Amino acid sequence: MKKYRKVLAHPGIGSLMLLGLFSKIAVVAFPVVLNLAVVLGLGRGFGAAGLVITAWTVGVGIGGPVQGRMMDRYGARPVLLVSVLAQMLFWGFGPEMPYEVLVVSAVAVGLLNLPGFALVRLRLAVAIPDEDRNTAFALDAMTSNISYMVGPALGVTVATSVSSAASMRGLGVIVSLAGLGLALLNPAVRATTSEPAAGTRPSRTRFRDWFTPALLPVLAATTATTLATAGYESAIVGGLRHSGQVEFSGVVLTVCGFCSLIGALVYGTVKRPPGFAVIAGLVGLTTVVGGFATGDWRLLCLAMALPAALCSPAFASTGSAASSLAPDGARGVVMGCYSAALTVGNSVGPALSGAVQDSAGPRWAFVVIGLAGAALSALALTGHLWLGRRPAAAAQEPDRALADATA
């Protein structure tokens, strides 16, 4: 635990991780709470609920980079305060909204989503030195795992035992308090001793300064990982339902959560971990094995232990790689793009898994999403290796020019 204590010893990091955990718990509960608000509160079907969640997801995907750019220019506090205001209005009045208004409002509140995930990664990228960055992002992955294990379950429990309205408003209270706490902490997101003085703006960075070719493989590997993990969660439920063991879905998903937590803990102590694209590819390849274990929930637990254990290291490595590529003054927008890549994978994975389950069965869902994630990771690895050779080739060009001129 020495490496983790070293990370938490940095000023403000402990408080940031705690507040970030609460904000993550709230944010990951958004989809399930919206789903139950439509189905239980408005009496509509799951298709209508899916449209609201899709609207929210689109808003999050677009808003992430925009919020990141705003944090680059104005700091974290103004962005957080605007987000908290939007969250309070939406979750407070959401239970009274007609369905059509709820769809439109979901896009708006997604655009102004509380940037808890991105803010924690931004601060870690600024405050933690390079030699401890893998450990810091592994710690971030662990808190994310805990949030995924707690948030949706808490939202479902309140919605089904009390009411969907209570679930929405309770979620609004949690996310607002977490956002206000983060705004009070106001973590610096630029590599300076303080945020820009009032009334001044940091120097502008151009699009080509931060959206570099080297960033594309990182974003591809990020999408590949979320596509596989979000897809296999859907396939687990579908596979156990097909074999008449759907009541054990929660057990299998909980085992996956604990394996992911252990994977992050171990990854944070490794001095020379594999590259981000390699880990992402292994997540996809090992997911395929799950397709051969859907007949027994115990076998499925064993089959999914390895891909689950690899998913947190994949997220930690891609997050660390993205932060290392971001120049000062553009870290926010780069990590916003990283969050958008996560959102794309989380949207495509379950949809692809569900489509394959309907047409070919749950076994093939594991195979297709696993191979899709591995193929996208292979493209990311190819691009990363190719770009890694370019500087060496480019460095030789001046020597050739000098030799030609001398001749």
Coordinates of all heavy atoms in Angstrom, one line a residue, residues 227-297:
L227 N -16.7 -0.9 -24.8 CA -17.6 -1.7 -25.6 C -17.6 -3.1 -25.1 O -18.7 -3.7 -25.0 CB -17.0 -1.7 -27.1 CG -17.9 -2.4 -28.2 CD1 -17.6 -1.7 -29.5 CD2 -17.6 -3.8 -28.3
A228 N -16.4 -3.7 -24.8 CA -16.4 -5.1 -24.3 C -17.0 -5.2 -22.9 O -17.8 -6.1 -22.7 CB -14.9 -5.6 -24.3
T229 N -16.7 -4.3 -22.0 CA -17.2 -4.5 -20.6 C -18.7 -4.2 -20.5 O -19.4 -5.0 -19.9 CB -16.4 -3.6 -19.7 OG1 -16.5 -2.2 -20.2 CG2 -14.9 -4.0 -19.6
A230 N -19.1 -3.2 -21.1 CA -20.6 -2.9 -21.1 C -21.3 -4.0 -21.9 O -22.5 -4.3 -21.5 CB -20.9 -1.5 -21.7
G231 N -20.7 -4.5 -23.0 CA -21.4 -5.5 -23.7 C -21.5 -6.8 -23.0 O -22.5 -7.5 -23.0
Y232 N -20.4 -7.2 -22.3 CA -20.4 -8.5 -21.6 C -21.4 -8.5 -20.4 O -21.9 -9.5 -20.0 CB -19.0 -9.0 -21.2 CG -18.3 -8.5 -20.1 CD1 -18.8 -8.4 -18.8 CD2 -16.9 -8.1 -20.3 CE1 -18.0 -7.9 -17.7 CE2 -16.2 -7.6 -19.2 CZ -16.7 -7.5 -18.0 OH -16.0 -7.0 -16.9
E233 N -21.6 -7.3 -19.8 CA -22.6 -7.2 -18.7 C -24.0 -7.6 -19.2 O -24.7 -8.3 -18.6 CB -22.5 -5.8 -18.1 CG -21.3 -5.5 -17.3 CD -21.3 -4.1 -16.7 OE1 -22.2 -3.3 -17.1 OE2 -20.3 -3.8 -16.0
S234 N -24.3 -7.0 -20.4 CA -25.6 -7.4 -21.0 C -25.6 -8.9 -21.4 O -26.7 -9.5 -21.2 CB -25.8 -6.5 -22.2 OG -27.0 -6.9 -22.9
A235 N -24.5 -9.4 -21.9 CA -24.5 -10.8 -22.3 C -24.6 -11.7 -21.1 O -25.2 -12.8 -21.2 CB -23.2 -11.1 -23.1
I236 N -24.1 -11.3 -20.0 CA -24.2 -12.2 -18.7 C -25.6 -12.3 -18.4 O -26.1 -13.5 -18.1 CB -23.4 -11.5 -17.6 CG1 -21.8 -11.7 -17.8 CG2 -23.8 -12.1 -16.2 CD1 -21.0 -10.9 -16.9
V237 N -26.3 -11.2 -18.3 CA -27.8 -11.3 -18.0 C -28.5 -12.1 -19.0 O -29.3 -13.0 -18.6 CB -28.4 -9.9 -17.8 CG1 -29.9 -10.0 -17.5 CG2 -27.6 -9.1 -16.7
G238 N -28.3 -11.9 -20.3 CA -29.0 -12.6 -21.3 C -28.6 -14.1 -21.3 O -29.5 -15.0 -21.5
G239 N -27.3 -14.4 -21.1 CA -26.9 -15.8 -21.0 C -27.6 -16.6 -19.9 O -28.0 -17.7 -20.1
L240 N -27.6 -16.0 -18.7 CA -28.2 -16.7 -17.6 C -29.7 -16.8 -17.7 O -30.3 -17.7 -17.2 CB -27.8 -15.9 -16.3 CG -26.3 -16.0 -15.9 CD1 -26.0 -15.2 -14.7 CD2 -25.9 -17.5 -15.7
R241 N -30.3 -15.8 -18.3 CA -31.7 -15.9 -18.6 C -32.0 -17.0 -19.5 O -33.0 -17.7 -19.3 CB -32.2 -14.5 -19.1 CG -33.7 -14.5 -19.4 CD -34.1 -13.1 -20.0 NE -35.6 -13.1 -20.2 CZ -36.2 -12.1 -20.7 NH1 -35.5 -11.0 -21.1 NH2 -37.5 -12.1 -20.9
H242 N -31.2 -17.2 -20.5 CA -31.4 -18.2 -21.5 C -31.3 -19.6 -20.9 O -32.0 -20.6 -21.3 CB -30.4 -18.1 -22.6 CG -30.6 -19.0 -23.8 ND1 -29.9 -20.2 -23.9 CD2 -31.4 -19.0 -24.8 CE1 -30.3 -20.9 -25.0 NE2 -31.2 -20.1 -25.6
S243 N -30.4 -19.7 -19.9 CA -30.2 -21.0 -19.2 C -31.1 -21.2 -18.0 O -30.9 -22.2 -17.2 CB -28.7 -21.2 -18.8 OG -28.4 -20.2 -17.9
G244 N -32.0 -20.3 -17.7 CA -32.9 -20.4 -16.6 C -32.3 -20.1 -15.2 O -32.7 -20.5 -14.2
Q245 N -31.2 -19.2 -15.2 CA -30.5 -18.9 -14.0 C -30.4 -17.4 -13.8 O -29.4 -16.9 -13.2 CB -29.1 -19.5 -14.0 CG -29.1 -21.0 -14.2 CD -27.7 -21.6 -14.3 OE1 -27.0 -21.8 -13.3 NE2 -27.2 -21.9 -15.5
V246 N -31.3 -16.7 -14.3 CA -31.2 -15.2 -14.3 C -31.1 -14.7 -12.9 O -30.6 -13.6 -12.7 CB -32.4 -14.6 -15.1 CG1 -33.7 -14.8 -14.3 CG2 -32.2 -13.1 -15.4
E247 N -31.6 -15.4 -11.9 CA -31.6 -14.9 -10.5 C -30.1 -14.8 -10.0 O -29.9 -14.1 -9.0 CB -32.4 -15.8 -9.6 CG -31.9 -17.2 -9.4 CD -32.4 -18.2 -10.5 OE1 -32.9 -17.7 -11.5 OE2 -32.3 -19.4 -10.3
F248 N -29.2 -15.4 -10.7 CA -27.8 -15.4 -10.3 C -27.0 -14.3 -11.0 O -25.8 -14.2 -10.8 CB -27.1 -16.7 -10.5 CG -27.6 -17.8 -9.6 CD1 -28.5 -18.8 -10.1 CD2 -27.3 -17.9 -8.3 CE1 -29.0 -19.8 -9.3 CE2 -27.8 -18.9 -7.4 CZ -28.6 -19.8 -7.9
S249 N -27.7 -13.5 -11.8 CA -27.0 -12.4 -12.5 C -26.3 -11.4 -11.6 O -25.2 -11.0 -11.9 CB -28.0 -11.6 -13.4 OG -28.6 -12.5 -14.4
G250 N -27.0 -11.1 -10.5 CA -26.4 -10.1 -9.6 C -25.1 -10.7 -9.0 O -24.2 -10.0 -8.7
V251 N -25.1 -12.0 -8.7 CA -24.0 -12.6 -8.1 C -22.8 -12.6 -9.1 O -21.7 -12.2 -8.7 CB -24.3 -14.1 -7.7 CG1 -23.0 -14.8 -7.2 CG2 -25.4 -14.2 -6.7
V252 N -23.0 -12.9 -10.3 CA -21.9 -12.9 -11.3 C -21.4 -11.5 -11.5 O -20.2 -11.3 -11.6 CB -22.4 -13.5 -12.7 CG1 -21.3 -13.4 -13.7 CG2 -22.9 -14.9 -12.5
L253 N -22.3 -10.5 -11.6 CA -21.8 -9.1 -11.8 C -21.1 -8.6 -10.6 O -20.1 -7.8 -10.7 CB -23.0 -8.2 -12.1 CG -23.7 -8.5 -13.5 CD1 -25.0 -7.7 -13.6 CD2 -22.8 -8.2 -14.6
T254 N -21.5 -9.0 -9.4 CA -20.8 -8.6 -8.2 C -19.4 -9.2 -8.2 O -18.4 -8.6 -7.8 CB -21.5 -9.1 -6.9 OG1 -22.8 -8.4 -6.9 CG2 -20.8 -8.7 -5.7
V255 N -19.3 -10.5 -8.6 CA -17.9 -11.1 -8.7 C -17.1 -10.4 -9.7 O -15.9 -10.2 -9.4 CB -18.1 -12.6 -9.1 CG1 -16.7 -13.2 -9.4 CG2 -18.7 -13.4 -7.9
C256 N -17.7 -10.0 -10.8 CA -16.9 -9.2 -11.8 C -16.4 -7.9 -11.2 O -15.3 -7.5 -11.4 CB -17.8 -9.0 -13.0 SG -18.1 -10.4 -14.0
G257 N -17.3 -7.3 -10.4 CA -16.9 -6.0 -9.8 C -15.7 -6.2 -8.8 O -14.8 -5.4 -8.8
F258 N -15.7 -7.2 -8.0 CA -14.6 -7.5 -7.1 C -13.4 -7.8 -7.8 O -12.3 -7.4 -7.4 CB -15.0 -8.5 -6.1 CG -15.8 -8.0 -4.9 CD1 -17.2 -8.4 -4.8 CD2 -15.3 -7.2 -4.0 CE1 -17.9 -7.9 -3.7 CE2 -16.1 -6.7 -2.9 CZ -17.4 -7.1 -2.8
C259 N -13.5 -8.6 -8.9 CA -12.3 -9.0 -9.6 C -11.7 -7.7 -10.3 O -10.4 -7.6 -10.3 CB -12.6 -10.0 -10.7 SG -13.0 -11.6 -10.1
S260 N -12.5 -6.8 -10.8 CA -12.0 -5.6 -11.3 C -11.3 -4.7 -10.3 O -10.3 -4.1 -10.6 CB -13.2 -4.8 -12.0 OG -12.8 -3.6 -12.6
L261 N -11.9 -4.7 -9.1 CA -11.3 -4.0 -8.0 C -9.9 -4.5 -7.7 O -8.9 -3.8 -7.5 CB -12.2 -4.0 -6.8 CG -12.0 -3.0 -5.6 CD1 -12.2 -1.6 -6.1 CD2 -12.9 -3.3 -4.5
I262 N -9.8 -5.8 -7.6 CA -8.5 -6.5 -7.3 C -7.5 -6.2 -8.4 O -6.3 -5.9 -8.2 CB -8.7 -8.0 -7.1 CG1 -9.5 -8.2 -5.8 CG2 -7.3 -8.7 -7.0 CD1 -9.9 -9.7 -5.6
G263 N -8.0 -6.2 -9.7 CA -7.1 -5.9 -10.8 C -6.5 -4.5 -10.8 O -5.4 -4.3 -11.1
A264 N -7.4 -3.6 -10.4 CA -6.9 -2.2 -10.3 C -5.8 -2.1 -9.1 O -4.8 -1.4 -9.3 CB -8.0 -1.3 -10.0
L265 N -6.1 -2.8 -8.0 CA -5.2 -2.7 -6.9 C -3.8 -3.3 -7.3 O -2.8 -2.7 -6.9 CB -5.8 -3.5 -5.7 CG -5.0 -3.5 -4.4 CD1 -4.9 -2.1 -3.8 CD2 -5.6 -4.5 -3.4
V266 N -3.8 -4.4 -8.0 CA -2.5 -5.0 -8.4 C -1.8 -4.1 -9.5 O -0.6 -3.9 -9.4 CB -2.8 -6.4 -9.0 CG1 -1.5 -7.0 -9.6 CG2 -3.3 -7.3 -7.9
Y267 N -2.6 -3.6 -10.4 CA -2.0 -2.8 -11.5 C -1.3 -1.6 -10.9 O -0.2 -1.2 -11.5 CB -3.1 -2.4 -12.5 CG -2.6 -1.4 -13.5 CD1 -2.0 -1.9 -14.7 CD2 -2.8 0.0 -13.4 CE1 -1.6 -1.0 -15.6 CE2 -2.4 0.8 -14.4 CZ -1.7 0.3 -15.5 OH -1.3 1.2 -16.5
G268 N -1.8 -1.0 -9.9 CA -1.2 0.2 -9.4 C 0.1 0.0 -8.7 O 0.9 0.9 -8.4
T269 N 0.5 -1.3 -8.5 CA 1.8 -1.6 -7.9 C 2.8 -2.1 -8.9 O 4.0 -2.3 -8.5 CB 1.6 -2.7 -6.8 OG1 1.2 -3.9 -7.4 CG2 0.6 -2.3 -5.7
V270 N 2.4 -2.3 -10.2 CA 3.3 -2.8 -11.2 C 4.2 -1.7 -11.7 O 3.7 -0.6 -12.1 CB 2.5 -3.4 -12.3 CG1 3.5 -3.9 -13.4 CG2 1.7 -4.6 -11.8
K271 N 5.5 -1.9 -11.7 CA 6.5 -0.8 -12.1 C 6.4 -0.6 -13.6 O 6.5 0.5 -14.1 CB 7.9 -1.2 -11.7 CG 8.1 -1.1 -10.2 CD 9.5 -1.4 -9.8 CE 9.7 -1.3 -8.3 NZ 11.1 -1.5 -7.9
R272 N 6.4 -1.7 -14.4 CA 6.4 -1.5 -15.9 C 5.2 -2.3 -16.5 O 5.4 -3.5 -16.9 CB 7.7 -2.1 -16.5 CG 8.9 -1.2 -16.1 CD 10.2 -1.9 -16.6 NE 10.2 -1.9 -18.1 CZ 10.7 -0.9 -18.8 NH1 11.3 0.1 -18.3 NH2 10.7 -1.0 -20.1
P273 N 4.0 -1.8 -16.4 CA 2.8 -2.5 -16.9 C 2.8 -2.5 -18.4 O 3.5 -1.7 -19.1 CB 1.7 -1.6 -16.4 CG 2.2 -0.3 -16.3 CD 3.7 -0.4 -15.9
P274 N 2.0 -3.5 -19.0 CA 1.9 -3.5 -20.5 C 1.3 -2.2 -21.0 O 0.7 -1.5 -20.2 CB 1.0 -4.7 -20.7 CG 1.0 -5.5 -19.4 CD 1.3 -4.5 -18.3
G275 N 1.4 -2.0 -22.3 CA 0.8 -0.8 -22.9 C -0.7 -0.9 -22.9 O -1.3 -1.9 -22.7
F276 N -1.3 0.3 -23.0 CA -2.8 0.4 -22.9 C -3.5 -0.4 -24.0 O -4.5 -1.0 -23.7 CB -3.2 1.9 -23.0 CG -2.8 2.6 -24.3 CD1 -3.7 2.5 -25.4 CD2 -1.6 3.3 -24.5 CE1 -3.4 3.1 -26.6 CE2 -1.3 3.9 -25.7 CZ -2.2 3.8 -26.8
A277 N -3.0 -0.4 -25.2 CA -3.7 -1.2 -26.3 C -3.6 -2.7 -26.0 O -4.5 -3.4 -26.4 CB -3.1 -0.8 -27.6
V278 N -2.5 -3.1 -25.5 CA -2.3 -4.6 -25.2 C -3.3 -5.0 -24.1 O -4.0 -6.0 -24.3 CB -0.9 -4.9 -24.7 CG1 -0.8 -6.3 -24.2 CG2 0.1 -4.6 -25.8
I279 N -3.5 -4.2 -23.0 CA -4.4 -4.6 -22.0 C -5.9 -4.5 -22.5 O -6.7 -5.4 -22.2 CB -4.3 -3.6 -20.8 CG1 -2.9 -3.6 -20.3 CG2 -5.2 -4.1 -19.7 CD1 -2.6 -2.7 -19.1
A280 N -6.2 -3.5 -23.3 CA -7.5 -3.4 -23.9 C -7.8 -4.6 -24.8 O -8.9 -5.2 -24.8 CB -7.7 -2.1 -24.7
G281 N -6.8 -5.0 -25.6 CA -7.0 -6.2 -26.4 C -7.2 -7.5 -25.7 O -8.1 -8.3 -26.0
L282 N -6.5 -7.6 -24.5 CA -6.7 -8.8 -23.7 C -8.1 -8.8 -23.1 O -8.7 -9.9 -22.9 CB -5.7 -8.8 -22.6 CG -4.2 -9.1 -23.1 CD1 -3.2 -9.0 -21.9 CD2 -4.2 -10.5 -23.6
V283 N -8.7 -7.7 -22.7 CA -10.0 -7.6 -22.2 C -11.0 -8.2 -23.3 O -11.9 -9.0 -22.9 CB -10.5 -6.2 -21.9 CG1 -11.9 -6.1 -21.5 CG2 -9.6 -5.6 -20.7
G284 N -10.8 -7.8 -24.5 CA -11.7 -8.3 -25.6 C -11.5 -9.8 -25.8 O -12.5 -10.6 -25.9
L285 N -10.3 -10.3 -25.9 CA -10.0 -11.7 -26.2 C -10.5 -12.6 -25.1 O -11.1 -13.7 -25.3 CB -8.5 -11.9 -26.4 CG -7.9 -11.3 -27.7 CD1 -6.4 -11.5 -27.8 CD2 -8.6 -12.0 -28.9
T286 N -10.3 -12.2 -23.8 CA -10.7 -13.1 -22.7 C -12.2 -13.0 -22.5 O -12.8 -14.0 -22.0 CB -10.0 -12.6 -21.4 OG1 -10.3 -11.2 -21.2 CG2 -8.5 -12.9 -21.5
T287 N -12.9 -12.0 -23.0 CA -14.4 -12.0 -23.0 C -15.0 -13.1 -23.8 O -16.1 -13.6 -23.4 CB -14.9 -10.6 -23.5 OG1 -14.4 -9.6 -22.6 CG2 -16.4 -10.5 -23.5
V288 N -14.4 -13.5 -24.9 CA -14.9 -14.5 -25.7 C -15.1 -15.8 -24.9 O -16.1 -16.5 -25.2 CB -13.9 -14.8 -26.9 CG1 -14.4 -16.0 -27.7 CG2 -13.8 -13.5 -27.8
V289 N -14.3 -16.1 -23.9 CA -14.4 -17.3 -23.2 C -15.8 -17.4 -22.4 O -16.3 -18.5 -22.3 CB -13.3 -17.4 -22.1 CG1 -13.3 -18.7 -21.3 CG2 -11.9 -17.4 -22.9
G290 N -16.3 -16.3 -22.1 CA -17.6 -16.3 -21.4 C -18.7 -17.0 -22.2 O -19.7 -17.5 -21.6
G291 N -18.6 -16.9 -23.5 CA -19.7 -17.5 -24.3 C -19.8 -19.0 -24.1 O -20.8 -19.6 -24.5
F292 N -18.7 -19.7 -23.6 CA -18.8 -21.1 -23.4 C -19.1 -21.5 -22.0 O -19.0 -22.7 -21.7 CB -17.4 -21.7 -23.8 CG -17.0 -21.4 -25.2 CD1 -16.2 -20.3 -25.5 CD2 -17.4 -22.2 -26.3 CE1 -15.8 -20.0 -26.8 CE2 -17.0 -21.9 -27.6 CZ -16.2 -20.8 -27.9
A293 N -19.6 -20.6 -21.2 CA -19.8 -20.9 -19.8 C -21.2 -20.4 -19.4 O -21.5 -20.3 -18.2 CB -18.8 -20.3 -18.9
T294 N -22.1 -20.1 -20.3 CA -23.4 -19.5 -19.9 C -24.3 -20.5 -19.3 O -25.4 -20.2 -18.8 CB -24.1 -18.9 -21.2 OG1 -24.2 -19.8 -22.2 CG2 -23.2 -17.7 -21.6
G295 N -24.0 -21.8 -19.4 CA -24.9 -22.9 -18.9 C -24.9 -23.0 -17.4 O -25.8 -23.6 -16.8
D296 N -23.9 -22.5 -16.7 CA -23.8 -22.6 -15.3 C -23.2 -21.3 -14.7 O -22.1 -20.9 -15.1 CB -22.9 -23.8 -14.9 CG -22.9 -24.1 -13.5 OD1 -22.8 -23.2 -12.6 OD2 -23.0 -25.3 -13.1
W297 N -23.9 -20.7 -13.8 CA -23.5 -19.4 -13.3 C -22.1 -19.5 -12.6 O -21.3 -18.5 -12.6 CB -24.5 -18.8 -12.3 CG -24.7 -19.6 -11.0 CD1 -25.5 -20.6 -10.8 CD2 -24.0 -19.3 -9.8 NE1 -25.4 -21.0 -9.5 CE2 -24.5 -20.2 -8.9 CE3 -23.0 -18.4 -9.4 CZ2 -24.1 -20.3 -7.5 CZ3 -22.6 -18.4 -8.1 CH2 -23.1 -19.4 -7.2

